[in-house]
Amino acid sequence: MTGAAVSVKGLTKAFGGTVVVDAIDMEVPEGAIYGFLGPNGSGKTTTIRLMCGLLTPDAGEGRTLGFDIRTDARKIKENVGYMTQKFSLYGDLTIRENLDFMARMYRLPNRREVVDSTLRELGLEGRGNQLAGTLSGGWKQRLALAAAMQHKPRLLLLDEPTAGVDPKARRDFWDEIRRLSKQGVTVLVSTHYMDEAVQCDYIAYIAYGKKLIDGPAREIPARIGLTTWRVDGPDLIELEDALLADPRVEQVARFGAQLHVSSTDAAGLDAMIAEWKTRNGSHHWEKKEAELEEAFIYLMATAADNYGLGGGRA
Amino acid sequence: MTLFSLSRFGAVLFKEFVQMRRDHLTFAMMIGIPIVQLLIFGFAINTDPRNLPTLVELNDPSPVARAVISGMDTSEYFAFHGFVFGPEDGDRALRDGSANFVVVIPPDFERDILRGLAPEILVAADASDPTAVGSAVAALGGIVDRAIAQNLGGPLAKIAPGAPPFSVVVHKQFNPEGKTATNIVPGLLAIILAMTMVMITAVAIVREIERGTMEALIATPVRPTEVMLGKILPYVAVGYIQTLVFLVAAKLLFDVPFNGSRLAFFVGFNLYIVVNLALGFLISTLVRTQMQAMQASFFLILPTILLSGFMFPFAGMPGWAQTIGTAIPATHFLRLVRKVMLKGAEIVDIVDDLSAIALIGGVIFLIALMRYRQTLD
């Protein structure tokens, strides 16, 4: 099979009258790491559940690994590895028991060897009899990922796998994702973190259940059409306030000792910066290409938190 | 693709047993609840109380009056605690609860008897608790008659009450001594199973949903029947253990007979366990948290105890209460167990009860299946 690992069209799902996923089209190319971004409550989890047949769409259609998401949910389940946001293994079973249980769910032959090799790859050989609930957050996620990979799925669906995990564990986790990707596994991963988004080959951004933009990661900034200037010098905090007060500036983001000043109105921004240079010569200005970071901050700022304070997931 | 995989079913079953074993509190509860309930209900409750505190206002210290009082005392129902002097004393004693009965022997009691004036003994009873004083009141007439008759010998025999022209013979069947435990203990099995089976099943299923493990589980190719059977069967085993504990305790501690057919009992309790598990399953589809599952189970247990005929006679309830009671599986199982254990029922005698339980169970199962979703919608 070539082309798309996941391909959905007009996917729509409502819960109790609230449309959570609204006519979403998406193509996840085979072998890609596909980043699925959006604020809390934007419908990421629901979309992923629709893709693996856990939910039935109200409208729209789609195929995952070539199987119809409405009628072939069972075949999808057999070929997909799905990792939920919450730690979804049994805390009161041991590490080995958990892996063995998942292996049995997929009716894997040579279960013992499979589990042994999973433990070995995780580096948890000596700790197979430890209760899974006693692992740290990062280790729990690695265990859940390993459990979801035992049946060698061709597609891995990861729902905010690194939420609440420390930075070191997150890096390890992403090393693992890239390793799997190199082996040919397609990975669809939803995340909040910008530094994770930049590691993806493709990106889709959704808000209020609607897709705002998608495409190869490197094309995203250009499509949004941001112009960005980099500035450094003294009194950056005051400078930031002053720049934000100007209507021609849409976004000011701090990166270390620099500010990245962006706007979709290129001419306006250039004119404003020319004014600033003549008024105050102590800053150093430099035009740069807008990158995914700026684009991502821009998307987050315009889409805000969907359901207000609750940040409820759907 | 298989319709039912023994391997997956076995995996769920095994996992459930391991979790049950590691959850010490639940495990202790499953075994502890039946034992504690048996001890409390079996030993503490007595609907035929004896030795009720009684006071006497003795206005005629004659031999006949004393014979009446000693007759009451030896009947075991009444325990004489002393005398009162005047009606105020007696009323106060009844009001403050220091006595259940005040017996007033009128002045010139013996003389009036001899003159054929038929004097009245007043027995004031604290009927605020009818159960407490009921049997004593019922026994009273006979006790007094006998006491007086024994004292009216010789020349006085002519005024003694003569034998009635007929006699009533009461044959107390199945529980001749009227022991409360003999009635309560068999019924208790229905209550214990209803309480633990419903709650444990509901909690076990909801726990998976609440912890998020259910989502991961149904994202695998596992089939709903494999999950449900695998999760429920371990609790059938628990029901077996509870029934065994119950039977042993009923025999050794309370000397409750087992007169009927073992087969009838076996068929009945298996059916009842399955129906209760289905009810727990139904609850699990209606609630979202373990706490809610707990609350729903407790909400159900109250009518089960009160309206099933366990605590109070079923026939004494008003029509609407009997209607509700009839819809409760415990009502029918309770009758079934009492029939089999006490009345020596065979399987033909319990067909009605079995069909009622099966019918209720069928309805519960249907609703539960309609509520259960394999997907998360």
Side-chain angles (χ1 to χ4, degrees), chain A residues 13 49 54-56 74 77-78 82 84 86 88-90 92-93 97 104-107, chain B residues 1-2 5 8 11 19 22 208 210 213 215-216 218-221 223 374-377:
Chain A
K13 180 78 190 175
R49 286 176 176 170
L54 285 181
L55 289 174
T56 319
R74 303 193 51 77
K77 288 175 180 179
E78 273 168 19
Y82 175 45
T84 54
K86 243 166 137 183
S88 55
L89 299 177
Y90 298 96
D92 47 359
L93 295 189
E97 283 164 347
R104 288 176 83 170
M105 288 301 106
Y106 291 96
R107 298 199 296 161
Chain B
M1 202 162 327
T2 34
S5 153
R8 284 194 299 242
Q19 289 185 309
R22 297 209 174 126
E208 292 248 3
E210 197 180 336
T213 48
E215 193 185 348
I218 64 175
T220 71
R223 289 198 172 262
Q374 188 195 359
T375 52
L376 293 164
D377 323 52

mmCIF file of all heavy atoms in Angstrom, chain A residues 13 49 54-56 74 77-78 82 84 86 88-90 92-93 97 104-107, chain B residues 1-2 5 8 11 19 22 208 210 213 215-216 218-221 223 374-377:
data_model
loop_
_atom_site.group_PDB
_atom_site.id
_atom_site.type_symbol
_atom_site.label_atom_id
_atom_site.label_comp_id
_atom_site.label_asym_id
_atom_site.label_seq_id
_atom_site.Cartn_x
_atom_site.Cartn_y
_atom_site.Cartn_z
ATOM 1 N N LYS A 13 -18.271 14.809 14.256
ATOM 2 C CA LYS A 13 -18.792 14.092 15.427
ATOM 3 C C LYS A 13 -19.314 15.106 16.430
ATOM 4 O O LYS A 13 -18.646 16.092 16.726
ATOM 5 C CB LYS A 13 -17.664 13.267 16.063
ATOM 6 C CG LYS A 13 -18.101 12.488 17.279
ATOM 7 C CD LYS A 13 -18.859 11.246 16.882
ATOM 8 C CE LYS A 13 -19.513 10.591 18.078
ATOM 9 N NZ LYS A 13 -20.357 9.446 17.658
ATOM 10 N N ARG A 49 -9.715 9.063 18.031
ATOM 11 C CA ARG A 49 -10.615 7.934 18.328
ATOM 12 C C ARG A 49 -11.456 7.555 17.112
ATOM 13 O O ARG A 49 -11.754 6.377 16.899
ATOM 14 C CB ARG A 49 -11.541 8.280 19.489
ATOM 15 C CG ARG A 49 -10.829 8.268 20.832
ATOM 16 C CD ARG A 49 -11.773 8.701 21.920
ATOM 17 N NE ARG A 49 -11.149 8.610 23.229
ATOM 18 C CZ ARG A 49 -11.686 9.105 24.339
ATOM 19 N NH1 ARG A 49 -12.857 9.721 24.278
ATOM 20 N NH2 ARG A 49 -11.078 8.985 25.486
ATOM 21 N N LEU A 54 -12.785 3.682 17.387
ATOM 22 C CA LEU A 54 -13.373 3.641 18.726
ATOM 23 C C LEU A 54 -14.667 4.434 18.780
ATOM 24 O O LEU A 54 -15.519 4.198 19.614
ATOM 25 C CB LEU A 54 -12.404 4.209 19.762
ATOM 26 C CG LEU A 54 -11.242 3.329 20.161
ATOM 27 C CD1 LEU A 54 -10.384 4.022 21.199
ATOM 28 C CD2 LEU A 54 -11.748 2.016 20.714
ATOM 29 N N LEU A 55 -14.785 5.402 17.870
ATOM 30 C CA LEU A 55 -16.014 6.183 17.774
ATOM 31 C C LEU A 55 -16.520 6.076 16.340
ATOM 32 O O LEU A 55 -15.737 5.932 15.409
ATOM 33 C CB LEU A 55 -15.736 7.663 18.088
ATOM 34 C CG LEU A 55 -15.423 8.051 19.520
ATOM 35 C CD1 LEU A 55 -15.032 9.517 19.583
ATOM 36 C CD2 LEU A 55 -16.603 7.787 20.425
ATOM 37 N N THR A 56 -17.829 6.160 16.202
ATOM 38 C CA THR A 56 -18.404 6.156 14.864
ATOM 39 C C THR A 56 -18.723 7.599 14.484
ATOM 40 O O THR A 56 -19.357 8.308 15.260
ATOM 41 C CB THR A 56 -19.711 5.347 14.853
ATOM 42 O OG1 THR A 56 -19.507 4.181 15.653
ATOM 43 C CG2 THR A 56 -20.092 4.954 13.444
ATOM 44 N N ARG A 74 -12.477 -3.498 13.428
ATOM 45 C CA ARG A 74 -11.713 -4.593 14.013
ATOM 46 C C ARG A 74 -10.363 -4.775 13.315
ATOM 47 O O ARG A 74 -9.353 -5.042 13.955
ATOM 48 C CB ARG A 74 -12.507 -5.904 13.946
ATOM 49 C CG ARG A 74 -13.858 -5.831 14.628
ATOM 50 C CD ARG A 74 -14.422 -7.210 14.806
ATOM 51 N NE ARG A 74 -13.441 -8.069 15.447
ATOM 52 C CZ ARG A 74 -13.165 -8.024 16.737
ATOM 53 N NH1 ARG A 74 -13.790 -7.174 17.503
ATOM 54 N NH2 ARG A 74 -12.273 -8.818 17.240
ATOM 55 N N LYS A 77 -8.069 -2.051 14.424
ATOM 56 C CA LYS A 77 -7.540 -2.279 15.775
ATOM 57 C C LYS A 77 -6.379 -3.272 15.770
ATOM 58 O O LYS A 77 -5.446 -3.151 16.549
ATOM 59 C CB LYS A 77 -8.651 -2.799 16.695
ATOM 60 C CG LYS A 77 -9.668 -1.737 17.064
ATOM 61 C CD LYS A 77 -10.792 -2.335 17.868
ATOM 62 C CE LYS A 77 -11.831 -1.298 18.242
ATOM 63 N NZ LYS A 77 -12.937 -1.913 19.015
ATOM 64 N N GLU A 78 -6.454 -4.260 14.869
ATOM 65 C CA GLU A 78 -5.408 -5.267 14.851
ATOM 66 C C GLU A 78 -4.080 -4.726 14.314
ATOM 67 O O GLU A 78 -3.023 -5.272 14.593
ATOM 68 C CB GLU A 78 -5.852 -6.476 14.000
ATOM 69 C CG GLU A 78 -6.623 -7.474 14.829
ATOM 70 C CD GLU A 78 -7.321 -8.525 13.989
ATOM 71 O OE1 GLU A 78 -6.937 -8.705 12.813
ATOM 72 O OE2 GLU A 78 -8.257 -9.162 14.517
ATOM 73 N N TYR A 82 -2.335 2.116 19.678
ATOM 74 C CA TYR A 82 -2.974 3.343 20.156
ATOM 75 C C TYR A 82 -2.548 3.581 21.592
ATOM 76 O O TYR A 82 -2.656 2.702 22.442
ATOM 77 C CB TYR A 82 -4.494 3.185 20.063
ATOM 78 C CG TYR A 82 -5.310 4.318 20.633
ATOM 79 C CD1 TYR A 82 -4.984 5.637 20.371
ATOM 80 C CD2 TYR A 82 -6.430 4.061 21.420
ATOM 81 C CE1 TYR A 82 -5.745 6.679 20.887
ATOM 82 C CE2 TYR A 82 -7.204 5.093 21.939
ATOM 83 C CZ TYR A 82 -6.851 6.394 21.666
ATOM 84 O OH TYR A 82 -7.616 7.424 22.173
ATOM 85 N N THR A 84 -3.198 6.064 24.759
ATOM 86 C CA THR A 84 -4.063 7.131 25.255
ATOM 87 C C THR A 84 -3.257 8.126 26.081
ATOM 88 O O THR A 84 -2.129 7.850 26.478
ATOM 89 C CB THR A 84 -5.175 6.551 26.135
ATOM 90 O OG1 THR A 84 -4.573 5.769 27.157
ATOM 91 C CG2 THR A 84 -6.101 5.682 25.327
ATOM 92 N N LYS A 86 -3.914 9.330 29.133
ATOM 93 C CA LYS A 86 -3.720 8.849 30.493
ATOM 94 C C LYS A 86 -2.902 7.562 30.438
ATOM 95 O O LYS A 86 -2.944 6.836 29.463
ATOM 96 C CB LYS A 86 -5.092 8.501 31.081
ATOM 97 C CG LYS A 86 -5.519 9.322 32.276
ATOM 98 C CD LYS A 86 -6.990 9.093 32.486
ATOM 99 C CE LYS A 86 -7.353 8.893 33.921
ATOM 100 N NZ LYS A 86 -8.785 8.609 34.057
ATOM 101 N N SER A 88 -2.533 4.069 30.531
ATOM 102 C CA SER A 88 -3.680 3.192 30.318
ATOM 103 C C SER A 88 -3.360 1.732 30.586
ATOM 104 O O SER A 88 -4.112 0.860 30.223
ATOM 105 C CB SER A 88 -4.177 3.359 28.891
ATOM 106 O OG SER A 88 -3.112 3.125 28.017
ATOM 107 N N LEU A 89 -2.230 1.459 31.209
ATOM 108 C CA LEU A 89 -1.971 0.083 31.617
ATOM 109 C C LEU A 89 -2.436 -0.079 33.063
ATOM 110 O O LEU A 89 -2.883 0.867 33.678
ATOM 111 C CB LEU A 89 -0.485 -0.235 31.460
ATOM 112 C CG LEU A 89 0.012 -0.100 30.016
ATOM 113 C CD1 LEU A 89 1.501 -0.346 29.937
ATOM 114 C CD2 LEU A 89 -0.724 -1.052 29.098
ATOM 115 N N TYR A 90 -2.338 -1.293 33.575
ATOM 116 C CA TYR A 90 -2.870 -1.545 34.908
ATOM 117 C C TYR A 90 -1.808 -1.298 35.967
ATOM 118 O O TYR A 90 -0.793 -1.995 36.006
ATOM 119 C CB TYR A 90 -3.397 -2.971 34.987
ATOM 120 C CG TYR A 90 -4.521 -3.197 34.014
ATOM 121 C CD1 TYR A 90 -4.297 -3.761 32.771
ATOM 122 C CD2 TYR A 90 -5.808 -2.780 34.331
ATOM 123 C CE1 TYR A 90 -5.332 -3.938 31.869
ATOM 124 C CE2 TYR A 90 -6.852 -2.949 33.444
ATOM 125 C CZ TYR A 90 -6.603 -3.536 32.212
ATOM 126 O OH TYR A 90 -7.635 -3.681 31.336
ATOM 127 N N ASP A 92 -1.944 -1.921 39.029
ATOM 128 C CA ASP A 92 -1.837 -2.984 40.029
ATOM 129 C C ASP A 92 -1.389 -4.313 39.422
ATOM 130 O O ASP A 92 -1.462 -5.346 40.080
ATOM 131 C CB ASP A 92 -3.142 -3.141 40.820
ATOM 132 C CG ASP A 92 -4.365 -3.173 39.917
ATOM 133 O OD1 ASP A 92 -4.194 -3.053 38.687
ATOM 134 O OD2 ASP A 92 -5.483 -3.324 40.432
ATOM 135 N N LEU A 93 -0.950 -4.258 38.157
ATOM 136 C CA LEU A 93 -0.282 -5.432 37.592
ATOM 137 C C LEU A 93 1.199 -5.099 37.447
ATOM 138 O O LEU A 93 1.577 -3.935 37.342
ATOM 139 C CB LEU A 93 -0.853 -5.790 36.214
ATOM 140 C CG LEU A 93 -2.312 -6.247 36.114
ATOM 141 C CD1 LEU A 93 -2.594 -6.764 34.713
ATOM 142 C CD2 LEU A 93 -2.628 -7.322 37.139
ATOM 143 N N GLU A 97 3.359 -8.507 33.633
ATOM 144 C CA GLU A 97 1.959 -8.908 33.488
ATOM 145 C C GLU A 97 1.233 -7.998 32.491
ATOM 146 O O GLU A 97 0.413 -8.452 31.691
ATOM 147 C CB GLU A 97 1.237 -8.874 34.846
ATOM 148 C CG GLU A 97 1.565 -10.070 35.736
ATOM 149 C CD GLU A 97 1.163 -9.845 37.188
ATOM 150 O OE1 GLU A 97 0.853 -8.704 37.567
ATOM 151 O OE2 GLU A 97 1.183 -10.813 37.940
ATOM 152 N N ARG A 104 -1.424 -10.911 24.787
ATOM 153 C CA ARG A 104 -2.528 -11.863 24.650
ATOM 154 C C ARG A 104 -3.731 -11.241 23.950
ATOM 155 O O ARG A 104 -4.466 -11.922 23.244
ATOM 156 C CB ARG A 104 -2.931 -12.403 26.020
ATOM 157 C CG ARG A 104 -1.902 -13.351 26.589
ATOM 158 C CD ARG A 104 -2.262 -13.794 27.976
ATOM 159 N NE ARG A 104 -3.210 -14.903 27.972
ATOM 160 C CZ ARG A 104 -3.529 -15.592 29.056
ATOM 161 N NH1 ARG A 104 -2.980 -15.295 30.213
ATOM 162 N NH2 ARG A 104 -4.391 -16.579 28.997
ATOM 163 N N MET A 105 -3.940 -9.932 24.181
ATOM 164 C CA MET A 105 -5.048 -9.261 23.509
ATOM 165 C C MET A 105 -4.888 -9.342 21.992
ATOM 166 O O MET A 105 -5.852 -9.408 21.245
ATOM 167 C CB MET A 105 -5.127 -7.793 23.934
ATOM 168 C CG MET A 105 -5.623 -7.561 25.343
ATOM 169 S SD MET A 105 -7.270 -8.220 25.629
ATOM 170 C CE MET A 105 -6.914 -9.661 26.604
ATOM 171 N N TYR A 106 -3.615 -9.304 21.538
ATOM 172 C CA TYR A 106 -3.363 -9.373 20.089
ATOM 173 C C TYR A 106 -3.067 -10.805 19.659
ATOM 174 O O TYR A 106 -2.704 -11.045 18.523
ATOM 175 C CB TYR A 106 -2.215 -8.436 19.705
ATOM 176 C CG TYR A 106 -2.598 -6.991 19.835
ATOM 177 C CD1 TYR A 106 -2.303 -6.261 20.977
ATOM 178 C CD2 TYR A 106 -3.280 -6.340 18.807
ATOM 179 C CE1 TYR A 106 -2.680 -4.932 21.108
ATOM 180 C CE2 TYR A 106 -3.654 -5.014 18.916
ATOM 181 C CZ TYR A 106 -3.356 -4.321 20.067
ATOM 182 O OH TYR A 106 -3.738 -3.008 20.178
ATOM 183 N N ARG A 107 -3.187 -11.735 20.579
ATOM 184 C CA ARG A 107 -2.950 -13.154 20.333
ATOM 185 C C ARG A 107 -1.618 -13.389 19.626
ATOM 186 O O ARG A 107 -1.555 -14.034 18.575
ATOM 187 C CB ARG A 107 -4.103 -13.757 19.534
ATOM 188 C CG ARG A 107 -5.397 -13.649 20.338
ATOM 189 C CD ARG A 107 -6.433 -14.584 19.843
ATOM 190 N NE ARG A 107 -6.833 -14.260 18.486
ATOM 191 C CZ ARG A 107 -7.456 -15.105 17.679
ATOM 192 N NH1 ARG A 107 -7.685 -16.319 18.059
ATOM 193 N NH2 ARG A 107 -7.820 -14.721 16.485
ATOM 194 N N MET B 1 -10.327 -13.998 11.604
ATOM 195 C CA MET B 1 -11.021 -13.312 12.688
ATOM 196 C C MET B 1 -11.921 -14.284 13.447
ATOM 197 O O MET B 1 -12.659 -15.038 12.854
ATOM 198 C CB MET B 1 -11.859 -12.183 12.114
ATOM 199 C CG MET B 1 -12.139 -11.166 13.164
ATOM 200 S SD MET B 1 -12.651 -9.566 12.563
ATOM 201 C CE MET B 1 -11.816 -9.324 11.044
ATOM 202 N N THR B 2 -11.822 -14.249 14.760
ATOM 203 C CA THR B 2 -12.611 -15.184 15.570
ATOM 204 C C THR B 2 -13.721 -14.445 16.300
ATOM 205 O O THR B 2 -13.584 -13.293 16.657
ATOM 206 C CB THR B 2 -11.724 -15.873 16.615
ATOM 207 O OG1 THR B 2 -10.733 -14.937 17.017
ATOM 208 C CG2 THR B 2 -11.068 -17.107 16.067
ATOM 209 N N SER B 5 -12.338 -15.499 21.369
ATOM 210 C CA SER B 5 -11.015 -16.057 21.554
ATOM 211 C C SER B 5 -10.840 -16.485 22.999
ATOM 212 O O SER B 5 -10.916 -15.675 23.920
ATOM 213 C CB SER B 5 -9.959 -15.020 21.181
ATOM 214 O OG SER B 5 -8.783 -15.274 21.895
ATOM 215 N N ARG B 8 -7.909 -14.652 24.694
ATOM 216 C CA ARG B 8 -8.161 -13.289 25.195
ATOM 217 C C ARG B 8 -9.073 -13.319 26.414
ATOM 218 O O ARG B 8 -8.843 -12.611 27.392
ATOM 219 C CB ARG B 8 -8.784 -12.432 24.083
ATOM 220 C CG ARG B 8 -7.780 -11.993 23.044
ATOM 221 C CD ARG B 8 -8.339 -10.895 22.187
ATOM 222 N NE ARG B 8 -9.523 -11.327 21.458
ATOM 223 C CZ ARG B 8 -9.605 -11.373 20.131
ATOM 224 N NH1 ARG B 8 -8.575 -11.012 19.396
ATOM 225 N NH2 ARG B 8 -10.712 -11.762 19.547
ATOM 226 N N ALA B 11 -7.085 -14.309 29.286
ATOM 227 C CA ALA B 11 -6.204 -13.233 29.726
ATOM 228 C C ALA B 11 -6.955 -12.254 30.616
ATOM 229 O O ALA B 11 -6.462 -11.831 31.661
ATOM 230 C CB ALA B 11 -5.618 -12.511 28.512
ATOM 231 N N GLN B 19 -5.800 -8.914 39.954
ATOM 232 C CA GLN B 19 -6.158 -7.624 40.543
ATOM 233 C C GLN B 19 -6.963 -7.807 41.829
ATOM 234 O O GLN B 19 -6.787 -7.083 42.794
ATOM 235 C CB GLN B 19 -6.964 -6.797 39.546
ATOM 236 C CG GLN B 19 -6.113 -6.282 38.392
ATOM 237 C CD GLN B 19 -6.896 -5.370 37.476
ATOM 238 O OE1 GLN B 19 -7.972 -5.712 37.025
ATOM 239 N NE2 GLN B 19 -6.354 -4.196 37.199
ATOM 240 N N ARG B 22 -4.740 -8.646 44.647
ATOM 241 C CA ARG B 22 -3.883 -7.559 45.135
ATOM 242 C C ARG B 22 -4.675 -6.471 45.841
ATOM 243 O O ARG B 22 -4.124 -5.633 46.529
ATOM 244 C CB ARG B 22 -3.118 -6.939 43.960
ATOM 245 C CG ARG B 22 -2.206 -7.953 43.342
ATOM 246 C CD ARG B 22 -0.976 -7.372 42.695
ATOM 247 N NE ARG B 22 -0.148 -8.502 42.276
ATOM 248 C CZ ARG B 22 0.296 -8.670 41.041
ATOM 249 N NH1 ARG B 22 0.061 -7.754 40.135
ATOM 250 N NH2 ARG B 22 1.013 -9.729 40.736
ATOM 251 N N GLU B 208 -12.270 0.313 35.404
ATOM 252 C CA GLU B 208 -11.511 0.315 34.141
ATOM 253 C C GLU B 208 -11.787 1.590 33.354
ATOM 254 O O GLU B 208 -10.896 2.154 32.742
ATOM 255 C CB GLU B 208 -11.915 -0.897 33.280
ATOM 256 C CG GLU B 208 -11.492 -2.211 33.854
ATOM 257 C CD GLU B 208 -10.416 -2.891 33.030
ATOM 258 O OE1 GLU B 208 -9.956 -2.307 32.037
ATOM 259 O OE2 GLU B 208 -10.031 -4.009 33.389
ATOM 260 N N GLU B 210 -12.931 4.471 34.619
ATOM 261 C CA GLU B 210 -12.450 5.637 35.351
ATOM 262 C C GLU B 210 -10.933 5.771 35.238
ATOM 263 O O GLU B 210 -10.406 6.867 35.091
ATOM 264 C CB GLU B 210 -12.865 5.504 36.814
ATOM 265 C CG GLU B 210 -12.788 6.809 37.590
ATOM 266 C CD GLU B 210 -13.205 6.626 39.045
ATOM 267 O OE1 GLU B 210 -13.951 5.671 39.322
ATOM 268 O OE2 GLU B 210 -12.792 7.434 39.866
ATOM 269 N N THR B 213 -8.211 2.577 31.556
ATOM 270 C CA THR B 213 -7.695 1.352 30.963
ATOM 271 C C THR B 213 -8.692 0.735 29.978
ATOM 272 O O THR B 213 -8.305 0.007 29.080
ATOM 273 C CB THR B 213 -7.364 0.313 32.051
ATOM 274 O OG1 THR B 213 -8.463 0.234 32.949
ATOM 275 C CG2 THR B 213 -6.137 0.722 32.816
ATOM 276 N N GLU B 215 -10.336 2.246 27.702
ATOM 277 C CA GLU B 215 -10.117 2.790 26.367
ATOM 278 C C GLU B 215 -8.998 2.033 25.658
ATOM 279 O O GLU B 215 -9.128 1.678 24.488
ATOM 280 C CB GLU B 215 -9.778 4.280 26.468
ATOM 281 C CG GLU B 215 -9.848 4.963 25.122
ATOM 282 C CD GLU B 215 -9.393 6.409 25.179
ATOM 283 O OE1 GLU B 215 -9.238 6.939 26.288
ATOM 284 O OE2 GLU B 215 -9.201 6.981 24.103
ATOM 285 N N ALA B 216 -7.921 1.791 26.402
ATOM 286 C CA ALA B 216 -6.819 1.045 25.799
ATOM 287 C C ALA B 216 -7.255 -0.381 25.482
ATOM 288 O O ALA B 216 -6.852 -0.955 24.478
ATOM 289 C CB ALA B 216 -5.620 1.034 26.743
ATOM 290 N N ILE B 218 -10.370 -1.518 24.732
ATOM 291 C CA ILE B 218 -11.234 -1.666 23.562
ATOM 292 C C ILE B 218 -10.558 -1.170 22.287
ATOM 293 O O ILE B 218 -11.101 -1.341 21.200
ATOM 294 C CB ILE B 218 -12.625 -0.997 23.733
ATOM 295 C CG1 ILE B 218 -12.486 0.500 23.872
ATOM 296 C CG2 ILE B 218 -13.381 -1.590 24.880
ATOM 297 C CD1 ILE B 218 -13.839 1.198 23.919
ATOM 298 N N ALA B 219 -9.376 -0.577 22.425
ATOM 299 C CA ALA B 219 -8.616 -0.230 21.224
ATOM 300 C C ALA B 219 -7.873 -1.455 20.686
ATOM 301 O O ALA B 219 -7.316 -1.418 19.597
ATOM 302 C CB ALA B 219 -7.632 0.899 21.512
ATOM 303 N N THR B 220 -7.853 -2.545 21.476
ATOM 304 C CA THR B 220 -7.269 -3.795 20.993
ATOM 305 C C THR B 220 -8.380 -4.596 20.304
ATOM 306 O O THR B 220 -9.551 -4.232 20.402
ATOM 307 C CB THR B 220 -6.700 -4.629 22.164
ATOM 308 O OG1 THR B 220 -7.788 -5.141 22.917
ATOM 309 C CG2 THR B 220 -5.811 -3.809 23.070
ATOM 310 N N PRO B 221 -8.016 -5.672 19.638
ATOM 311 C CA PRO B 221 -9.062 -6.423 18.923
ATOM 312 C C PRO B 221 -9.997 -7.218 19.843
ATOM 313 O O PRO B 221 -10.820 -7.977 19.360
ATOM 314 C CB PRO B 221 -8.260 -7.388 18.038
ATOM 315 C CG PRO B 221 -6.862 -6.900 18.047
ATOM 316 C CD PRO B 221 -6.677 -6.177 19.323
ATOM 317 N N ARG B 223 -12.979 -8.664 21.994
ATOM 318 C CA ARG B 223 -14.419 -8.523 21.761
ATOM 319 C C ARG B 223 -15.135 -8.246 23.076
ATOM 320 O O ARG B 223 -14.699 -8.688 24.131
ATOM 321 C CB ARG B 223 -14.968 -9.812 21.134
ATOM 322 C CG ARG B 223 -14.517 -9.981 19.710
ATOM 323 C CD ARG B 223 -15.380 -10.977 18.984
ATOM 324 N NE ARG B 223 -15.052 -10.977 17.575
ATOM 325 C CZ ARG B 223 -15.743 -10.304 16.666
ATOM 326 N NH1 ARG B 223 -16.790 -9.605 17.018
ATOM 327 N NH2 ARG B 223 -15.382 -10.346 15.401
ATOM 328 N N GLN B 374 -19.691 -0.722 22.573
ATOM 329 C CA GLN B 374 -18.306 -1.125 22.370
ATOM 330 C C GLN B 374 -17.460 0.093 22.019
ATOM 331 O O GLN B 374 -16.336 0.229 22.414
ATOM 332 C CB GLN B 374 -18.195 -2.168 21.262
ATOM 333 C CG GLN B 374 -16.788 -2.720 21.211
ATOM 334 C CD GLN B 374 -16.497 -3.467 19.950
ATOM 335 O OE1 GLN B 374 -17.347 -3.610 19.091
ATOM 336 N NE2 GLN B 374 -15.276 -3.936 19.816
ATOM 337 N N THR B 375 -18.042 0.977 21.226
ATOM 338 C CA THR B 375 -17.352 2.223 20.973
ATOM 339 C C THR B 375 -17.629 3.141 22.148
ATOM 340 O O THR B 375 -18.398 2.820 23.025
ATOM 341 C CB THR B 375 -17.864 2.870 19.675
ATOM 342 O OG1 THR B 375 -19.270 2.951 19.758
ATOM 343 C CG2 THR B 375 -17.448 2.082 18.475
ATOM 344 N N LEU B 376 -16.970 4.289 22.142
ATOM 345 C CA LEU B 376 -17.097 5.166 23.304
ATOM 346 C C LEU B 376 -18.234 6.182 23.194
ATOM 347 O O LEU B 376 -18.419 6.985 24.082
ATOM 348 C CB LEU B 376 -15.785 5.940 23.511
ATOM 349 C CG LEU B 376 -14.579 5.118 23.921
ATOM 350 C CD1 LEU B 376 -13.311 5.896 23.705
ATOM 351 C CD2 LEU B 376 -14.687 4.701 25.362
ATOM 352 N N ASP B 377 -19.024 6.140 22.085
ATOM 353 C CA ASP B 377 -20.041 7.205 21.921
ATOM 354 C C ASP B 377 -21.011 7.230 23.087
ATOM 355 O O ASP B 377 -21.505 6.258 23.506
ATOM 356 C CB ASP B 377 -20.925 7.037 20.683
ATOM 357 C CG ASP B 377 -20.224 6.509 19.476
ATOM 358 O OD1 ASP B 377 -19.553 5.471 19.585
ATOM 359 O OD2 ASP B 377 -20.345 7.107 18.429
#
